[in-house]
Amino acid sequence: MTDQRDATSEPAPATSATSPAALLEVARTVAVEAAALAARRRSEGVAVAATKSSVVDVVTHTDREVEEHLRARLAELRPGDGFLGEEGAEHGSTTGLTWVVDPIDGTVNFLYGIPQWAVSVAVVEGDPVPGTWRALAGCVVNPSSGETWTASRGGGAWLGDQRLRPSSPATLAESLVATGFSYEAERRVEQVAAVGRLIGKVRDIRRQGAASLDLCAVATGRLDAYVERGLKPWDHAAGALVAEEAGAVVRASDDSAEGGRLTSAAAPNIADALWRAVVEARI
């Protein structure tokens, strides 16, 4: 694959440093590069390469190209680390660290030219299984808006050079909540019914189509909360750390429930009320 780095920049050296701050620099480097590549491909036109779980669950050629770029660059910068990507690239770790990446989160938005998609890169300690790992660093880049969110364990969450704090709505009833839906039509019908049971308890519901950006929006205070069932590891690995390091309350159920793991991120003062409401609504 063609090297997508800026020809005027110095190649980033490989590093064995494992501090969250050092790992964050690697995450930021590769995420920004990958976002630039994806944006170029979007400007050239997008074609569906295949479908996955259903006819509406699409993957583009750019998803695959960007994931391969991320895999190759992380192998160069962090030899020995594991890799887990949405489009199937995976290899084990000899260091105890694994990079969990979503080359394009919000592929349907990307396909339609809706400016709500992102590149998400996180590094986790332990097996890359939600609920068992410990996220150390993450970066989410929205090329359409030019925004870059970063977080490192113990280092806070940032939008550019702005340190992030979540919102503080007075009550759940005054809270703006985002969610997402399954690619499976039957499951979507059930989720819409569940949202109908929740919507009267909150200010309003948003469905924006990219979990990583919804989690970052909670960190930034643009949303008061986000909840979704059935997220994959790459959907939330970076965004959940951004939300947590900003000070939001991030929770998840186990994977055994029908529809998969329930994930939420919320402003601290509504977190308990939100969790009770979504459980009652059977989100």
Side-chain angles (χ1 to χ4, degrees):
M1 187 184 73
T2 302
D3 190 346
Q4 301 298 332
R5 284 170 283 170
D6 185 340
T8 64
S9 64
E10 291 295 323
T15 176
S16 60
T18 57
S19 72
L23 293 168
L24 178 56
E25 286 308 305
V26 176
R28 189 199 327 260
T29 294
V30 300
V32 169
E33 289 176 4
L37 170 59
R40 286 197 297 274
R41 295 295 182 257
R42 183 66 192 77
S43 69
E44 295 164 357
V46 180
V48 173
T51 59
K52 295 187 285 188
S53 63
S54 72
V55 69
V56 296
D57 185 7
V58 299
V59 57
T60 70
H61 294 287
T62 303
D63 288 88
R64 294 172 173 174
E65 182 183 9
V66 171
E67 181 162 301
E68 173 55 24
H69 175 75
L70 287 165
R71 187 205 62 76
R73 283 290 280 141
L74 287 166
E76 175 188 350
L77 297 174
R78 294 286 311 174
D81 289 356
F83 185 90
L84 177 65
E86 180 181 15
E87 305 312 328
E90 182 175 358
H91 61 78
S93 171
T94 61
T95 64
L97 302 179
T98 298
W99 294 86
V100 182
V101 311
D102 196 336
I104 299 178
D105 182 27
T107 296
V108 173
N109 288 346
F110 177 80
L111 178 66
Y112 280 83
I114 298 169
Q116 185 75 4
W117 57 273
V119 174
S120 174
V121 176
V123 58
V124 304
E125 185 177 45
D127 293 335
V129 178
T132 67
W133 73 36
R134 180 171 177 261
L136 298 179
C139 181
V140 177
V141 182
N142 180 346
S144 301
S145 68
E147 294 175 309
T148 298
W149 289 265
T150 57
S152 59
R153 176 68 57 184
W158 303 80
L159 173 55
D161 60 2
Q162 172 195 354
R163 186 150 191 170
L164 299 180
R165 292 286 184 271
S167 61
S168 54
T171 64
L172 182 62
E174 298 166 88
S175 300
L176 185 62
V177 180
T179 192
F181 298 137
S182 171
Y183 284 116
E184 299 174 7
E186 185 175 319
R187 176 65 184 143
R188 280 203 305 277
V189 171
E190 296 170 356
Q191 288 173 315
V192 168
V195 167
R197 293 188 287 269
L198 177 65
I199 197 167
K201 300 178 181 180
V202 300
R203 169 165 277 151
D204 206 348
I205 298 287
R206 294 290 182 267
R207 190 269 196 266
Q208 302 179 112
S212 63
L213 292 178
D214 284 337
L215 287 161
C216 289
V218 173
T220 313
R222 297 174 184 172
L223 292 169
D224 299 310
Y226 162 73
V227 60
E228 185 167 352
R229 187 177 292 280
L231 293 181
K232 302 299 184 183
W234 43 81
D235 293 323
H236 63 83
L241 181 62
V242 173
E244 180 183 349
E245 282 293 322
V249 175
V250 178
R251 287 179 173 156
S253 69
D254 62 36
D255 291 317
S256 61
E258 184 179 356
R261 186 181 182 86
L262 176 65
T263 301
S264 77
N269 54 318
I270 62 160
D272 291 343
L274 174 75
W275 189 260
R276 289 193 298 269
V278 300
V279 170
E280 290 170 3
R282 302 192 299 279
I283 292 289

